[in-house]
Amino acid sequence: MSIINSIDTICALATAPGGALCIIRVSGPRALSVVSAISTVCCDTVAANTIHYGHIVSPLPSEGSGEALIDDALISVFRAPHSYTGEDSVEISCHGSRYILNKVLELLVQQGCRMANPGEFTQRAYLNGKMDLSQAEAVADLIASTNRATHQLAMSQLRGSVSSELSLLREKLLKLTTLLELELDFSEHEDLEFADRTELLELSTTIEAHIARLIKSFETGQAMKQGIPVAIVGKTNVGKSTLLNRLLRDDRAIVSDIHGTTRDTIEDTIDIQGVTFRFIDTAGIRQTADKVEQIGIERTYAAISKARIILWLLDAEPTQKEQQEMADRSKGKALIIVSNKSDQGVAVASSSFSIPHSSYLQVSAKTGQGIPALEQAIYASAGLPTLSDTDVIITNARHYDALQRAHASILRVIKGMGGNDNSSPSFLHSPLPSDLLSEELRQTLDILAEITGGQITPQETLNNIFSHFCVGK
């Protein structure tokens, strides 16, 4: 699937304005001639993949009075198909003056370019087969990456980890579908069976488990992408706001010895070992008649329900009732018990806790004692996988939706063969005929193809995907 020859030549600023230098990108069938018309570099004749020093020039208003020098520039020339978009492309590196940038873009438009839409360069790269759809979406994630983990996830997807994983699944499904469809071609031979039903069920079950694992990874992917939520909870005046400020290395929250100072949740993020954690300082839990404070406490419970990790900050031994309440609210989450105010001689004994917890530490939020160990415990409690270039973590909501639909489809295949989660392939013939099984398998294939764009993707979907890109990419 390629862009037709009559498509427009587009241009856009590819770097953020305001710096000392900026890059203007030009792509399309007339890219070389257009840049040649406004510069002293003849892009039509120079070798591909080369950089040339030259001048950007503009015709003077008076006819025949020569040209005005706009700027010195480095001009990089790429010829199709060996460019980012797969088209003839030129990148103009010039000074970052707004006047210069606007003038160069104006000259390009005068020569027949049009301004590019958001994501149009990457969309052309996809349409010209330079990358699949999942890789194209990874470009936006790479630009938006804010830490080592999100950068690694984006680079893995850009290098084709998701594509490779899905390609293996589709190859197995295609083999089965082909055998089932072959049976249909010989339907007059009722006893002829090309696809062994025992093998088909085993393979379908394996594929279902594989898709289910990818779906489950979305929770981790989203947490790493948006920041892993950590709720700091405890009674009033145990030092929650002081701890937040210490972790953030900033006076983000108001600290006071007055009970009930924090009446709403306060959020901010820090990076620990290249992963973003989103800390939520909550209102102190206590009995109160103050309606505003009570709203804050209700929001504390809401923050606990949404958190992946809970820091339970204490300066005295909790009651059994308090422990039971925390045990109930922290089910399915990592609970770190933190004994604060060690600088004041406070030390809540670890042996006094009867509820499951991932870590116990003594710290002083005021002096910083024990904070490095707490950060290590927070990272360990997140339960993040050790990522390699071959690991596949789903971070894209569109991919997640497609995988859920593919999972439902492959489950119908398994059910159609009389299988379920606890079944063993002990039958000889499928309860469903080959044509219906083939249709379900074909549907699973088509849904998986939506992720990489292996089948024709509706223009509306493409426009929606690339509209979220920045202009120039």
Side-chain angles (χ1 to χ4, degrees), residues 43-54:
C43 300
D44 292 297
T45 59
V46 300
N49 306 320
T50 55
I51 302 176
H52 305 269
Y53 171 75

Side-chain angles (χ1 to χ4, degrees), residues 134-162 225 387 393 395:
S134 68
Q135 290 173 304
E137 289 169 304
V139 173
D141 287 342
L142 186 62
I143 294 170
S145 62
T146 56
N147 55 49
R148 176 178 55 81
T150 52
H151 172 267
Q152 190 173 358
L153 287 173
M155 284 300 300
S156 175
Q157 187 173 324
L158 186 60
R159 289 172 178 166
S161 62
V162 173
K225 197 172 179 179
L387 297 178
I393 303 292
T395 62

Side-chain angles (χ1 to χ4, degrees), residues 214-260:
L214 292 176
I215 290 172
K216 188 176 180 180
S217 75
F218 181 70
E219 181 182 352
T220 298
Q222 283 295 96
M224 296 175 73
K225 197 172 179 179
Q226 298 178 3
I228 297 171
V230 183
I232 306 174
V233 302
K235 290 184 176 181
T236 58
N237 276 11
V238 293
K240 298 185 299 298
S241 296
T242 303
L243 178 60
L244 176 67
N245 290 341
R246 175 64 64 179
L247 289 166
L248 298 176
R249 295 164 179 82
D250 188 20
D251 291 335
R252 177 70 173 81
I254 297 174
V255 175
S256 169
D257 58 1
I258 301 173
H259 288 275

Side-chain angles (χ1 to χ4, degrees), residues 106-167:
E106 178 187 327
L107 292 172
L108 290 169
V109 171
Q110 288 175 358
Q111 292 298 321
C113 283
R114 71 163 170 83
M115 297 299 296
N117 296 317
E120 190 167 1
F121 291 98
T122 304
Q123 184 174 5
R124 291 186 177 199
Y126 160 66
L127 291 172
N128 281 324
K130 301 297 291 185
M131 58 181 71
D132 66 36
L133 202 51
S134 68
Q135 290 173 304
E137 289 169 304
V139 173
D141 287 342
L142 186 62
I143 294 170
S145 62
T146 56
N147 55 49
R148 176 178 55 81
T150 52
H151 172 267
Q152 190 173 358
L153 287 173
M155 284 300 300
S156 175
Q157 187 173 324
L158 186 60
R159 289 172 178 166
S161 62
V162 173
S163 309
S164 299
E165 191 91 349
L166 296 179
S167 178

Side-chain angles (χ1 to χ4, degrees), residues 36 39 50 56 74 77 86-87 121 141 155 157 172 178 184 187 195 213 219 248 264 407 426 429 445:
S36 296
S39 73
T50 55
I56 303 297
L74 288 177
V77 179
E87 307 170 324
F121 291 98
D141 287 342
M155 284 300 300
Q157 187 173 324
K172 293 175 181 178
T178 302
L184 297 176
S187 56
R213 181 180 60 78
E219 181 182 352
L248 298 176
D264 202 351
H407 186 251
S426 58
H429 298 287
L445 275 167

